[in-house]
Every structure is written in structure tokens, then in C-alpha cells.
Amino acid sequence: MTTTDHVHDLGMPAADPISAAIAAGGDKQTELKAKDLKTDQEVRWCPGCGDYVILNAVQSFLPSLGIAREDMVIVSGIGCSSRFPYYMNTYGMHSIHGRAPAIATGLAAARPDLSVWVVTGDGDALSIGGNHLIHTLRRNVNLTILLFNNRIYGLTKGQYSPTSEVGKVTKSTPMGSLDHPFNPVSLALGADATFVGRAMDSDRKGLTEVLRQAAEHEGTALVEIYQNCNIFNDGAFDLLKDPATAAQWTIPLVHGEPLVFGPDGASCVVRDEYGGLRVAETNQVDPAEVVVHDAHRTDPSYAFALSRLSSQDLRYTAMGVFRAVQKPTYDRMMAEQLDDARAQQPADLDALLAGSDTWVVEA
Amino acid sequence: MTSTTPSTATAAGNGHGPAELAPSAPGGLVKSVVELDRVVIRLAGDSGDGMQLTGNRFTSETASFGNDLSTLPNFPAEIRAPTGTLPGVSSFQLHFADHDIMTPGDAPDVLVAMNPAALKANISDLPGGGLLIADSDEFTPRNLAKVGYTENPLEDGSLEGWQVVSVPLTSLTLDALADSGLGKKEAERSKNMFTLGLLSWMYHRPTEGTVRFLERQFRRKPEIAAANITAFRAGFNYGETTEAFAVSYEVKPAPMAPGRYRNISGNQALAFGLVAAGQRSGLPVFLGAYPITPASDILHELSKHKAFGVRTFQAEDEIAGIGAALGAAFGGALGVTTTSGPGISLKSETIGLAVMTELPLVVVDVQRGGPSTGLPTKTEQSDLLQAMFGRNGEAPLPVIAPRSPGDCFDAALEAARIALTYRTPVVLLSDGYLANGAEPWAIPDVDSLPDLRVDFATEPNGEDGTFLPYLRDPETLARAWAVPGTAGLQHRIGGLEKADKTGNISYDPANHDLMTRTRQAKIDGIAADIPATEVEDPDGDARVAVVGWGSTYGPIGAACRRIRRSGRSIAQIHLRHVNPMPADLGDVLRRYDRVVCPEMNMGQLALLLRAKYLVDVESHTQVRGLPFRAAELAAVLQGVIDSTTPTAAAVAAAPGGAR
């Protein structure tokens, strides 16, 4: 994320009204505590909702970035998770269904000095807002997207979502859902996202680590957060949470480390004969064959292959940072074009309005 | 070949009694110059023939000569319909005069037809006796058959009601470019410039501008520039030397208010207005847009002006376009989105969010024929009610409409002024006719443009040091606008109903009632901040008023002039602020015995006026995708006036013809 080192880099004269207002607003406090980020609004998620855990993790983690809270903006769409901005003492906009990435894009492009965050859910980001999500990712605007995936529509009381497993019985699908779900990480990588990570709501340490890397990433970062909806889809991620099964089915991603997982490191990831990846038993393969995780590969197909190891039932789910590569950010390039244009020909409104072909009518 | 040589008084056939001037004798030919007070020329050809370019060049020549002018480009939605077919015909009509004119002309005096399809599609609009110039080379059996001609109309006598000049434009162009080194196909493409040269001779147009334009346009292809200039000059010389044209015409410059002028189209003026609004407010302009006819030219134009701090964002869809603009507005930018009717449909929900979050936003709708995809390249005024009401809930917003291409500049500034002052989305309703039409424009003095500076909140406004984002200015009812980055003023806004002052979520019944009424009062209150109704009634005794909005200003004004020339009185009222309307409008309308409202829709403004003022507004509507014809409108208005006078009262007992 952009930090305070290029505050107010609006490509405007120093005396522009936005910078002037910010300057008049007083000093920036960058040493924050978690409580500084809380608001006086009562948090209204259902008791036991995974969103509480994520809110706490975010509030605890954000102060470590050293960004003043007035320089942070959280934009959300519609859904349970999208109430997030109301509980954060930053600037925020709780917008409309699916459109948060578009709104955040405009804000981040117009104000590269801000740290812009999008909070969204699986229905918001992947169903009604799917188009904005993929285009935001390919554009690589400097913002961080937290996608809370609970695999259900919560706020509308329990319809299946675009990440629900096939055959899910809900109010709108009494005989089971028919459509195949998205894998959000695969989708993001297909859109050539420069940063893609995944974390579990209840895993404070893992979540914080992915958030930290996402926040430090320049460009669009997508973090999928598995989040339990204890009302409409309780236990959706138990396979990956239950100590009895978690290790077996979770592939932790650590850059530079071999992909060995499972109880006693019994499983590992190796290349398959088609150039993809597969899970193998560690004692059945040559240790040199075990893939060493590289989140910085320019080609997204390796990260994509990692995301395809898991299936709808969550077995072999990779958790951590899939991909983190550097590409020029849209907002920065846009600002550079403005600078280049000014360098070529300074703004002169009189000259613009007159154009090249004029005539004069004498009095 | 029925090659008739135009001569003497009926030459241009516009019935304005041209006076013959002293003949000149270049090259031994006796050529006379006829003075006209106005001419309407229509250039028609295949979409690939470059008729729009030719028309624009002729317009520029005419503008720099000092005539008043008005144009009507008319082209198909298909980029290249099959060559030589009726759907592929593209035309450009230009009206120029030695006096102030208001429309592109009801009917052409001169029709240039580059092929049989262009002839077939346009000849019925050319009044009897009008001049037809046709490219005889293109009237081949194959081309004739394509549009259903069994005989060549240039030869079979079917056009004898008109003055026909058949000119082999294509082969003359090829002859002129014989030494250019260009292939036949490439050389042929210069026939539009040959035609432009011929017309430039016929109407005494200055030619330097076109030569400069061609050099600039093809600076990377000097051989193409040279070929076009050669063809252009050859056309001019052909006019001077051929026996086919014995007469040329002079239309003297029109008296205009002193000042510096340029030619400008509506989309260009609108884009300039937005750039100027950015400069006058000091705010960076952020345009979020998705390409759509006929609004895309605004995106193109604004994209050229990055030096002014203008950011243009071509979004993935209409919704993202307005979403990004609103996000930028939250950040303190002057947010703008540009589209046409179908795009407004998609943007509706975000416009509602802008109403709820009370952020400034300029929403430009360059209207086109609807519903659905409708007539993308044709004009209509049918989005008024959509602009007014096309959102869920009570979501009032101001609506502004420019009246002419040049006026798009001022209307854009006014839209920005209201948006910034009142923290509201504003819909600016242009249309296809204004967007593509052009007229001379008095270049404004930048220092005379409105001051649009805004006051951002910089400190807490609540009693206990808190910031209340929905605390309002008592005068404008605008809420405080604090930009992210301002310490201590962090706040959250959104689409859920806001509690008064704090902006927190509120489901309280009394609060929702209060906020709904407050949002309405804020918009209604703008009426106190706009000029009173302007009535044009030079005779001062009109009993019938005609009320319009937007681009019908020209045709309605031209119709009113005709009415007044016939000795009748009529009052013209034209609305720039369609919502809210001027505070005195109801009283003004009630002064007249009858009020007629011509619109290029099914009566949308009439519906609003009737509902709001209980005035029996008579709607006159047309949805042909083209502007009203002044003569037709004048006939309608005359019918209303004549059935209103006491002497005609008995006759008028029968239902009026204007409904």
C-alpha cells in the first residue's frame, strides 16, 4: 500500500484545495493503537460471527503500518461483511452491491496518497460485482481487497452463493444448487492479479501475516478470508479448522519453503506430467522433486496450479500468499501521464478554448 | 445526360430572391456571382466517402468566413454498412447565412449525392427546383441495382423537377491525381476533397484553412496530404473553368457581437466546460466513462487535457464509470461521468448512492433515440423523466439542459456549480443533435467564468469536538464535505439512511421522514439560486406561449420568428433549469391563454408542467430522431394562435390541431 512517504502526491500545485484542507486539518498521528481504530458504533453482526475475529485482527494489525487513520479509507459493498467500515475509525464508504472495487478505483486513482481498502464478500465480489473485481485486479490499482468468503448469502438469510459447493441445499435451492462454484483465488489469478492470498478468520497469526504482505504490496492485493457464518453455514470450514483434520488438508504457503504438509510432513506437492501440480506422499518422491514455493514468479500459472489443488470440499487447500509480483500501478501511471502532459504543454485554459482557428468580429 | 446549367435567380432555389451581381470572366467564361442571404447544403454519400469530414471542413471554412451557421450530421449506427446501400448513407447538412440563424435548415437548397443510394435516400427532402450535384461515375448499373433503380435517374428524366448537374467527380479526381503515384483505390478516396473544392469555389469559401488542416492531419503521410490538397484545388479550379457551373454564390458574413469566435460542437463545448469547471474550482476533474454513442467524444476530448489535471478513466462498464467518479468525488475531485440513455439506466443505482451520500457529481446524458438501444446516432429528448425519477426511492436531483452546441460549455459549468455548491449529483441533458452539431462560439474570457471554489471542512463542527458530516449549511442545506486525509474528521457514509447531522445509520421513522424531506428541500431550494424565467416576446402582447427545453431552442426560436414575421405574436420560454424550475415559472405560464410545449419525446416536460402548475399545457411531439423543422413547428403554432384569437374563436370550437 501507499504509505505516507508520498502524501498529497496529487500532481496539483501545492496550493490545491484538497492539500490545503488536509494541511488545515492538522497533524497526522501515525502511532496508533487498536482502540484508536474503533468507532462508537455498536457492532451488529450475529454473536459468534467470524467477522468479529477479522475486525479484531485488522484493528490490531493496522497500527503496525504506521499510516494515520485519516489516510485510510475503507470502501465496502453490500452484505454482512460490508458493514465493516462503520466499525473502523477511518474514512469509509458503505456503498452499493458489488460496486466497491469500482468506487475504490476512482478514489485510489484520484488520491494516490491514500491507503484504500475494499471489504467485500463472496456474493458481493463474485456475483453481482464480479466484473468490477476482475477488472480492478487486471488494472492493478493500488488498493487492498479483503474478500470474506462464507460460501453463503447471510444478509438475505441463507441463499447459496457463487462459492457454495454444488448440491447445496438452501432456501432457494431446496433440491440442491446446480451451479459450479468459483474458486476466488483461481479467478483472481486468471485476471492476472499481482497479489493473491488466502487466510482463515480464526487463524490470527496466519491472517495477520497475509494482511501484512498485502498491505505492503503496491498494486491490487486480493485476500480471500474464509469466514464462518454460524447462522446460515456453520462449520463450513471445519475441515480446515478442526485440529483432527486441519493439518492433513491444509497446504501452508511460505515463500522459499518446500511445499510439505500434513501430519509429520507426510504429504507434499510435486509437478505433474502436464506441467501442473499434484499432491504426493513425501516418502514416495525424491526430495528434489518437492516444489519450493515461489510467490514471485511472473507467470501466474504456477500459483494457479496451487489454487487448483483444492476441490469444492476444501481438501488440499493452500493457505498463505499465492502470488506477489511487482507491476506498475494504475494510479501511479495515471499520475505520470498527467505530469508528462504538463511537461509537454502547460495548462492554458485561454489557449484551449480558443483552439487553432479563430476569427475576430470588430465592434 | 440531363446536365442542366444553373443560372440566374432560381439557382439555389431557396426563394430568397438572390440578386445577380456583376459577372466575372475567368478563363474566358462568363461567370456570374449571385448573392444569397442563406444556403442549406446537404452532402450525402456512403459511410466510407468521408461526408462527415467534408462537412466539417466546409463548416470550418464557413465559420472562419464569418457566416452564422448550424449543422446537422446524420449518420448510420453501422461503421461501414455495405457499400452503396441505403443503410450505409451518411449525410451532413449545413445551414449558413448572412444573418443570425437558429437551425440547420428544414430542407436543403443544394444536395450533393455521391452515389445512387445517397440520391435515393435524400432526394425527397430536396424541394422542387433545388440544385442536385451528383457524381455520375458512381451511377453504374451495379450501383443503381443495389438500391432498386432500373433506369439511371440522371438520364431518364425522372429528376426534371430539380436542377441536376452531373459531374464525374470520381474520374475527375483520378485525372487530377494521375501523377500522384497513388493507386486507383487510394486516389479515389480524395473525391470528397475534390467535391469540397468545387463547393468552396461555388460559395466563395476561404481555402487556406482546409489546406492547413490536410497538412496537419496527414503530416505523417505527406503523399496523402499532397493528394488531398491536389484534389481539393482541382475541384476548386474545375468550378472556375467548367461550363457546367456558370454561377457562383456569395453569402456575406453575418453581423455578430464583437468578439473572438471559433467553431465548436456540443460535445467539444461540453468537455471544455468541464475542464473550465476544474480550473475554476481548483479541483482535479475525474471522468469515469464507458464508450457510448453519442457521448464518447467527450471522453476523447477530456482525455487530451491531462495537463489540466483531468483524469479520464475508461471503465469496464457504465456502472464502474460512475462508481469511480463517485469514489473520486469522495476524495475531493470534481467527479464526472458521461453517457447516453442506456448508460443512465445502468448508473441509476449509483446516482441514488450519490443522492444519499450527498456528494457532488456531474452526470452527463447525451440523449439518443430510445428505448433500449434505439437509434444510437439519432437525437431525442426522451430521457427527461428518467433523469428526474429513474431511481428507487425519493431521489431528487437537479437537471440542466443546454440549448445549443456552444451553450453546452455554460451548461457544464452550471452543472458543476450546482453539484459543488449543493453536494448533489446533477444530470446534464444534452442530446445527439447538440453533441454533433456545430455553431460559431464567442470564446469567453476565462476570468469572467464563474468562481467555483469550494470550502472543504477542516475542523470538527460538533459541540463536543466531533465531526458531523450531515450538519448542513442553513442556506444551501449542503452538508459538510471533508476529504480523506483530513485529521480528526474521519467519518463513514453510505447508502443506508443517515441520521440527521451525525450521518450514522438510522432506521428511525421520524428521521427517515425528516431526511427525505430535507433532501427534497435542498434540491427545491436551488430555485432561489437560478435566474427567473426568461420570456422572449418582442411584441409584448402574445397570448400564446411556447415552452421548451434543451436542443429544441433553435427550431422553436426559428418557428417563433416565422410567426412574428407573419404579424402574429408569440412568447418563447426556454428552460435551462429543468429541475428545479425557475420559481416564477408557474405564474409566467398562467399569464397566457394557451401554452404549447414542443418536445422530441411523447410529452415529458408537458407532463411535469401540468402536474406542477396545473396549467393546461398542450404537447406537440415528434420522435423522428431528427430536430423539428421550423416551418412545421411554425404551422402548428400558427394554428394555435389563430384558433385562440377572438375572431377565430368560433372556428376553434373544433378540437385544436396542436395536441
Side-chain angles (χ1 to χ4, degrees):
Chain A
M1 296 300 297
T2 309
T3 50
T4 44
D5 60 346
H6 40 266
V7 160
H8 317 156
D9 179 21
L10 297 169
M12 293 281 295
D16 77 273
I18 297 172
S19 297
I22 292 169
D27 294 339
K28 293 189 177 297
Q29 173 61 257
T30 52
E31 284 178 31
L32 302 174
K33 296 201 166 61
K35 68 174 174 52
D36 297 324
L37 289 165
K38 296 188 196 303
T39 66
D40 59 356
Q41 298 297 293
E42 183 194 355
V43 184
R44 293 188 196 166
W45 287 309
C46 307
C49 176
D51 289 352
Y52 284 97
V53 192
I54 303 172
L55 178 65
N56 285 334
V58 170
Q59 285 172 337
S60 303
F61 147 78
L62 277 180
S64 69
L65 295 177
I67 301 173
R69 55 190 180 178
E70 61 268 19
D71 288 335
M72 293 187 243
V73 186
I74 301 176
V75 182
S76 65
I78 293 293
C80 294
S81 58
S82 287
R83 298 298 178 97
F84 204 89
Y86 290 115
Y87 311 134
M88 294 290 296
N89 193 352
T90 63
Y91 283 85
M93 191 194 290
H94 174 216
S95 74
I96 45 178
H97 208 10
R99 317 307 171 196
I103 291 167
T105 292
L107 178 62
R111 293 284 308 274
D113 57 309
L114 299 171
S115 170
V116 181
W117 297 67
V118 168
V119 175
T120 182
D122 42 318
D124 193 53
L126 301 171
S127 219
I128 194 167
N131 198 33
H132 307 307
L133 182 74
I134 55 175
H135 288 277
T136 301
L137 293 170
R138 80 173 163 87
R139 244 177 233 125
N140 201 33
V141 190
N142 196 14
L143 48 86
T144 306
I145 302 172
L146 307 184
L147 194 170
F148 297 12
N149 181 8
N150 56 15
R151 308 188 79 182
I152 199 78
Y153 280 102
L155 199 60
T156 50
K157 301 192 177 177
Q159 301 81 10
Y160 77 108
S161 92
T163 55
S164 296
E165 59 278 17
V166 172
K168 189 156 193 83
V169 174
T170 70
K171 283 178 189 159
S172 60
T173 51
M175 296 173 71
S177 63
L178 302 173
D179 32 339
H180 195 85
F182 270 139
N183 176 329
V185 167
S186 300
L187 183 75
L189 290 165
D192 216 352
T194 53
F195 184 101
V196 184
R198 181 189 281 147
M200 184 66 75
D201 57 359
S202 54
D203 174 16
R204 169 73 72 100
K205 187 163 165 280
L207 173 59
T208 302
E209 177 55 24
V210 174
L211 289 177
R212 185 186 62 75
Q213 291 190 43
E216 284 168 358
H217 178 73
E218 281 213 34
T220 309
L222 178 99
V223 180
E224 182 191 20
I225 304 172
Y226 284 158
Q227 171 246 323
N228 191 46
C229 172
N230 57 325
I231 304 296
F232 295 109
N233 202 18
D234 196 23
F237 304 102
D238 278 359
L239 188 77
L240 306 176
K241 289 186 179 193
D242 187 336
T245 53
Q248 186 182 353
W249 301 118
T250 304
I251 308 174
L253 302 176
V254 181
H255 179 70
E257 297 289 327
L259 293 171
V260 176
F261 64 101
D264 306 321
S267 303
C268 66
V269 176
V270 296
R271 304 204 176 278
D272 71 9
E273 57 269 42
Y274 305 109
L277 303 174
R278 66 178 173 86
V279 172
E281 287 176 42
T282 311
N283 59 12
Q284 300 295 308
V285 297
D286 180 342
E289 284 181 53
V290 176
V291 173
V292 174
H293 182 49
D294 180 3
H296 303 327
R297 290 177 69 97
T298 312
D299 180 355
S301 42
Y302 156 70
F304 186 82
L306 269 180
S307 75
R308 304 313 294 175
L309 289 173
S310 60
S311 52
Q312 293 184 52
D313 62 11
L314 301 178
R315 288 179 297 170
Y316 300 124
T317 298
M319 303 292 279
V321 176
F322 287 73
R323 185 174 199 232
V325 297
Q326 289 302 311
K327 265 191 197 171
T329 66
Y330 184 88
D331 44 291
R332 187 65 66 86
M333 290 190 290
M334 192 180 225
E336 282 167 6
Q337 283 197 339
L338 264 56
D339 290 341
D340 291 348
R342 278 190 203 98
Q344 282 167 25
Q345 183 140 35
D348 178 347
L349 188 56
D350 281 306
L352 171 70
L353 299 185
S356 53
D357 285 321
T358 65
W359 68 98
V360 174
V361 176
E362 303 290 350
Chain B
M1 188 184 285
T2 38
S3 178
T4 315
T5 304
S7 62
T8 67
T10 55
N14 64 11
H16 279 261
E20 199 160 332
L21 300 183
S24 59
L29 279 169
V30 177
K31 296 249 176 180
S32 55
V33 178
V34 170
E35 194 176 329
L36 300 174
D37 64 348
R38 64 178 198 94
V39 176
V40 179
I41 296 180
R42 184 183 296 176
L43 305 165
D46 213 52
S47 332
D49 282 343
M51 291 297 100
Q52 301 305 319
L53 174 71
T54 311
N56 280 320
R57 279 320 311 163
F58 196 85
T59 302
S60 290
E61 292 178 358
T62 297
S64 67
F65 183 72
N67 294 125
D68 195 13
L69 65 88
S70 175
T71 69
L72 178 63
N74 192 0
F75 45 89
E78 293 76 18
I79 301 303
R80 292 274 190 279
T83 311
T85 61
L86 287 172
V89 175
S90 164
S91 73
F92 187 102
Q93 185 162 310
L94 167 68
H95 182 188
F96 59 101
D98 67 0
H99 56 277
D100 165 32
I101 53 168
M102 305 188 79
T103 74
D106 287 358
D109 305 308
V110 182
L111 172 64
V112 178
M114 301 300 285
N115 64 13
L119 176 70
K120 188 151 198 179
N122 289 284
I123 189 67
S124 63
D125 290 341
L126 186 68
L131 175 62
L132 167 70
I133 300 172
D135 181 359
S136 53
D137 289 332
E138 292 294 319
F139 283 67
T140 60
R142 189 158 172 268
N143 286 352
L144 291 165
K146 270 186 195 170
V147 292
Y149 281 125
T150 48
E151 299 283 333
N152 185 346
L154 298 179
E155 294 166 0
D156 68 0
S158 62
L159 299 174
E160 63 186 11
W162 293 279
Q163 304 172 61
V164 182
V165 185
S166 293
V167 183
L169 292 168
T170 306
S171 46
L172 285 168
T173 305
L174 290 176
D175 289 349
L177 299 179
D179 301 328
S180 67
L182 295 182
K184 178 165 178 282
K185 210 159 186 183
E186 219 160 5
E188 258 184 34
R189 294 180 56 161
S190 294
K191 70 184 170 189
N192 63 335
M193 285 300 116
F194 184 95
T195 310
L196 179 63
L198 173 59
L199 291 169
S200 299
W201 170 80
M202 274 181 75
Y203 293 97
H204 296 215
R205 302 290 94 180
T207 56
E208 313 80 45
T210 295
V211 172
R212 270 203 312 274
F213 166 83
L214 290 169
E215 284 168 350
R216 214 172 37 233
Q217 189 75 2
F218 298 106
R219 63 183 176 280
R220 288 197 187 85
K221 293 178 180 167
E223 70 286 359
I224 301 289
N228 275 305
I229 292 168
T230 302
F232 176 61
R233 291 201 168 122
F236 193 96
N237 294 337
Y238 174 77
E240 201 157 63
T241 52
T242 182
E243 290 182 25
F245 294 94
V247 185
S248 66
Y249 304 91
E250 195 168 45
V251 179
K252 293 240 161 80
M256 292 194 197
R260 195 155 161 241
Y261 286 81
R262 64 170 289 163
N263 183 47
I264 201 159
S265 74
N267 272 348
Q268 194 174 25
L270 203 154
F272 284 0
L274 294 170
V275 174
Q279 295 293 295
R280 299 298 286 174
S281 63
L283 303 182
V285 174
F286 186 99
L287 171 73
Y290 186 77
I292 186 170
T293 303
S296 300
D297 282 340
I298 304 173
L299 165 62
H300 305 161
E301 185 65 39
L302 284 174
S303 298
K304 294 181 202 162
H305 305 306
K306 298 186 194 323
F308 292 86
V310 176
R311 285 176 164 82
T312 54
F313 171 65
Q314 183 177 315
E316 60 271 22
D317 60 27
E318 295 279 0
I319 300 171
I322 188 173
L326 186 66
F330 185 49
L334 173 57
V336 181
T337 191
T338 51
T339 188
S340 187
I344 294 290
S345 302
L346 289 163
K347 294 178 196 292
S348 298
E349 191 185 16
T350 312
I351 298 174
L353 178 65
V355 168
M356 192 61 128
T357 53
E358 302 192 41
L359 286 168
L361 186 68
V362 176
V363 179
V364 179
D365 176 1
V366 185
Q367 300 164 94
R368 65 192 214 186
S372 188
T373 311
L375 306 172
T377 59
K378 313 293 178 192
T379 197
E380 208 163 277
Q381 292 184 296
S382 44
D383 295 348
L384 174 57
L385 295 182
Q386 184 187 24
M388 288 288 296
F389 305 118
R391 292 165 293 285
N392 62 306
E394 295 287 345
L397 50 68
V399 179
I400 312 270
R403 57 170 60 174
S404 71
D407 188 46
C408 289
F409 178 82
D410 296 312
L413 276 162
E414 176 66 354
R417 181 189 74 85
I418 292 179
L420 293 169
T421 307
Y422 295 89
R423 324 281 204 243
T424 176
V426 175
V427 174
L428 180 56
L429 282 179
S430 179
D431 65 32
Y433 167 50
L434 295 179
N436 293 317
E439 66 175 359
W441 181 56
I443 301 160
D445 175 15
V446 168
D447 294 332
S448 71
L449 300 177
D451 180 353
L452 302 180
R453 277 176 294 184
V454 295
D455 286 320
F456 289 122
T458 55
E459 51 194 46
N461 55 4
E463 282 173 7
D464 49 354
T466 55
F467 177 61
L468 302 172
Y470 279 74
L471 189 67
R472 294 170 190 281
D473 178 302
E475 201 129 299
T476 60
L477 298 182
R479 73 173 185 88
W481 187 11
V483 293
T486 315
L489 306 190
Q490 300 93 279
H491 63 280
R492 277 64 57 190
I493 57 174
L496 284 169
E497 181 61 284
K498 301 278 158 285
D500 185 32
K501 299 185 181 68
T502 65
N504 291 330
I505 300 173
S506 169
Y507 305 126
D508 178 65
N511 178 75
H512 179 55
D513 192 80
L514 171 73
M515 293 300 276
T516 301
R517 289 175 197 283
T518 304
R519 285 187 288 265
Q520 184 70 52
K522 180 175 83 167
I523 303 306
D524 291 347
I526 297 169
D529 186 24
I530 62 174
T533 307
E534 225 178 285
V535 181
E536 199 193 321
D537 177 17
D539 302 313
D541 60 352
R543 300 183 59 199
V544 173
V546 55
V547 57
W549 66 282
S551 77
T552 51
Y553 176 72
I556 294 175
C560 287
R561 286 180 182 180
R562 284 171 187 246
I563 296 281
R564 291 175 194 132
R565 277 202 300 269
S566 76
R568 296 170 177 84
S569 295
I570 190 160
Q572 186 185 1
I573 297 164
H574 208 77
L575 300 180
R576 144 159 302 179
H577 295 93
V578 189
N579 192 47
M581 296 180 195
D584 63 342
L585 181 61
D587 292 336
V588 171
L589 294 179
R590 279 187 280 269
R591 277 186 223 148
Y592 297 93
D593 291 342
R594 291 173 76 177
V595 177
V596 182
C597 183
E599 293 179 85
M600 296 186 289
N601 58 40
M602 293 298 280
Q604 300 191 7
L605 178 66
L607 180 80
L608 295 178
L609 293 173
R610 293 175 70 99
K612 197 168 161 67
Y613 302 117
L614 292 177
V615 170
D616 185 16
V617 175
E618 301 172 39
S619 193
H620 174 70
T621 63
Q622 209 170 66
V623 279
R624 301 166 61 245
L626 290 164
F628 281 106
R629 294 195 181 103
E632 286 173 8
L633 213 44
V636 169
L637 296 174
Q638 187 175 319
V640 173
I641 292 167
D642 291 352
S643 62
T644 306
T645 54
T647 48
V651 185
R659 296 235 183 184

